[in-house]
Amino acid sequence: MNECYYDKRMDFFYNKTNTDTVDEWTGPKLIVVLCFGTFFCLFIFISNSLVIAAVVKNKRFHFPFYYLLANLAAADFFAGIAYVFLMFNTGPVSKTLTVNRWFLRQGLLDTSLTASLVNLLVIAVERHMSIMRMKIHSNLTKKRVTFLIISIWAIAIFMGAVPTLGWNCLCDITACSSLAPIYSRSYLVFWSVLNLVVFFIMVVVYIRIYMYVQRKTNVLSSHTSGSISRRRTPVKLMKTVMTLLGAFVVCWTPGLVVLLLDGLNCTYCGIQNVKRWFLLLALLNSVMNPIIYSYKDDEMWGTMKRMICCSSEDKSQDRRSSRIPSTVLCRSTDTSGHYIEDGIIEGTICGKGDLGDKGNS
């Protein structure tokens, strides 16, 4: 019967797996990594909080697609928490960690990745349901969307806890990986291959949807002349999701490939030299997503800008009485709540944007 090492600290496992690069996290390299990591994490917390608040505040976003988009922002926010915990438990500190604390460190990262991945997969299904019918939003009810969001986090937490539940090498030290000294190499192969396969499936699905919509749009444009911008709205939302998926694949694929090589016990691949930079690349994905939201979606950017602007001018607005009742200006005629390109109210003044929102209530 194999001996188990539950009571050992991580230095024991780093030494057993010949991981001799932990000390390289000291000095200038560690300072650079921590500085960039701190800046990125602050940006992740602020920007993704704005995205979630924008979806809650703007009634034009009260549809399944945007609820799932807000949940993706929540997954990015959680990733920021995971990276903060990592920063305080990396470098020379890694060797002093207990097994449970190291499991927690890696579990948080795995949970954030799974939450983002499953969320993108659910968004792909939602886009398929709506775009194949040339609709802006699917007919998912709020109850079903809530169930999907709860399911996403349940799956993410479970996948993050799998190594802790037993798929590890604490009782078989010869099966330990190099990058994750208490993870079994078989688990790293399973984890990386599973994620890469899901990446491939989603890319294929979106390419298929994109080709279908382009073909339908060309047919419709030859027969309609008045509301082409309305026809393009589903395409615009789909392009936003495709951009998010593309950024996710680009940022996470290198790290997953490195994990796969480690799981396959590739001793000459030099994976120890690139692991920290691929980790920063994965962190960059959570930074990019809010930028993509605001750049690709004018309504999202307008709502976020009004919230930032108005929060800084609340005191000055409290001293002034409203000159014109909000029920008079900017009354929206969009009773369906659908996001239509040519129906967006883009006010550069905070008060103007707020009146537009109030008119929808």
Side-chain angles (χ1 to χ4, degrees):
M1 184 175 179
N2 292 333
E3 183 180 358
C4 297
Y5 301 94
Y6 294 104
D7 58 339
K8 298 291 185 180
R9 291 192 175 270
M10 288 306 300
D11 58 342
F12 171 82
F13 298 98
Y14 279 113
N15 293 332
K16 285 288 185 179
T17 55
N18 296 320
T19 306
D20 56 358
T21 59
V22 180
D23 292 333
E24 293 182 7
W25 283 87
T26 58
K29 288 184 179 180
L30 179 61
I31 294 175
V32 170
V33 171
L34 291 179
C35 288
F36 275 99
T38 301
F39 173 78
F40 286 156
C41 287
L42 288 175
F43 182 83
I44 287 171
F45 292 144
I46 296 172
S47 58
N48 284 287
S49 296
L50 282 173
V51 172
I52 297 172
V55 173
V56 173
K57 174 180 169 62
N58 194 334
K59 291 186 177 181
R60 292 176 184 240
F61 296 150
H62 291 184
F63 291 93
F65 172 78
Y66 287 104
Y67 292 146
L68 294 172
L69 209 63
N71 193 50
L72 185 60
D76 288 328
F77 188 95
F78 184 84
I81 297 175
Y83 288 121
V84 169
F85 189 83
L86 174 65
M87 285 191 297
F88 285 100
N89 293 275
T90 192
V93 180
S94 298
K95 288 187 174 183
T96 66
L97 297 178
T98 62
V99 167
N100 290 333
R101 193 170 182 85
W102 197 94
F103 272 136
L104 176 61
R105 190 188 81 172
Q106 298 305 121
L108 290 174
L109 292 173
D110 294 345
T111 299
S112 66
L113 169 60
T114 305
S116 297
L117 182 62
V118 178
N119 204 92
L120 283 170
L121 185 61
V122 172
I123 290 177
V125 174
E126 192 275 342
R127 287 294 86 197
H128 186 275
M129 292 171 58
S130 58
I131 289 179
M132 285 301 182
R133 296 177 176 85
M134 291 306 292
K135 292 183 178 181
I136 300 174
H137 299 292
S138 65
N139 295 324
L140 288 173
T141 63
K142 289 186 178 181
K143 288 184 178 180
R144 289 182 180 178
V145 174
T146 302
F147 173 77
L148 286 173
I149 291 174
I150 294 174
S151 299
I152 288 170
W153 285 102
I155 294 172
I157 293 172
F158 173 76
M159 292 302 296
V162 165
T164 310
L165 297 176
W167 200 345
N168 54 61
C169 63
L170 294 177
C171 296
D172 185 9
I173 202 71
T174 60
C176 291
S177 67
S178 175
L179 291 178
I182 55 177
Y183 277 12
S184 297
R185 288 194 298 271
S186 59
Y187 174 74
L188 289 188
V189 172
F190 162 78
W191 171 258
S192 54
V193 169
L194 176 64
N195 285 281
L196 291 172
V197 168
V198 175
F199 285 0
F200 178 76
I201 292 173
M202 287 194 293
V203 170
V204 171
V205 168
Y206 278 115
I207 290 176
R208 179 178 178 272
I209 295 176
Y210 182 77
M211 294 174 63
Y212 172 83
V213 172
Q214 286 292 91
R215 186 170 63 252
K216 282 290 185 179
T217 303
N218 292 335
V219 172
L220 290 172
S221 61
S222 62
H223 295 285
T224 59
S225 58
S227 58
I228 300 302
S229 63
R230 293 174 183 264
R231 299 290 184 181
R232 287 176 181 162
T233 301
V235 182
K236 188 173 182 179
L237 290 180
M238 188 195 61
K239 287 182 177 180
T240 300
V241 180
M242 290 183 67
T243 305
L244 291 171
L245 177 61
F248 188 82
V249 171
V250 169
C251 291
W252 279 99
T253 298
L256 291 174
V257 171
V258 166
L259 288 177
L260 177 60
L261 293 175
D262 187 29
L264 296 174
N265 200 23
C266 181
T267 57
Y268 55 87
C269 295
I271 54 179
Q272 294 288 349
N273 299 324
V274 297
K275 63 178 183 179
R276 67 174 62 87
W277 307 114
F278 286 166
L279 182 61
L280 284 177
L281 181 61
L283 170 63
L284 186 61
N285 177 243
S286 298
V287 176
M288 292 171 61
N289 283 345
I291 299 174
I292 294 172
Y293 304 148
S294 58
Y295 177 76
K296 302 292 288 186
D297 194 322
D298 296 332
E299 178 82 354
M300 177 68 72
W301 167 242
T303 303
M304 293 170 65
K305 185 170 62 176
R306 288 194 295 271
M307 287 192 301
I308 296 173
C309 183
C310 291
S311 63
S312 65
E313 295 185 4
D314 278 343
K315 292 183 180 180
S316 61
Q317 287 182 355
D318 288 341
R319 298 191 188 101
R320 299 195 300 260
S321 60
S322 178
R323 296 180 181 178
I324 305 176
S326 61
T327 55
V328 176
L329 294 180
C330 299
R331 175 70 65 179
S332 171
T333 60
D334 185 7
T335 57
S336 67
H338 283 181
Y339 168 43
I340 303 299
E341 243 181 291
D342 51 3
I344 297 175
I345 300 173
E346 294 184 7
T348 57
I349 303 176
C350 288
K352 182 177 178 181
D354 288 339
L355 290 173
D357 287 340
K358 290 179 181 178
N360 287 328
S361 59

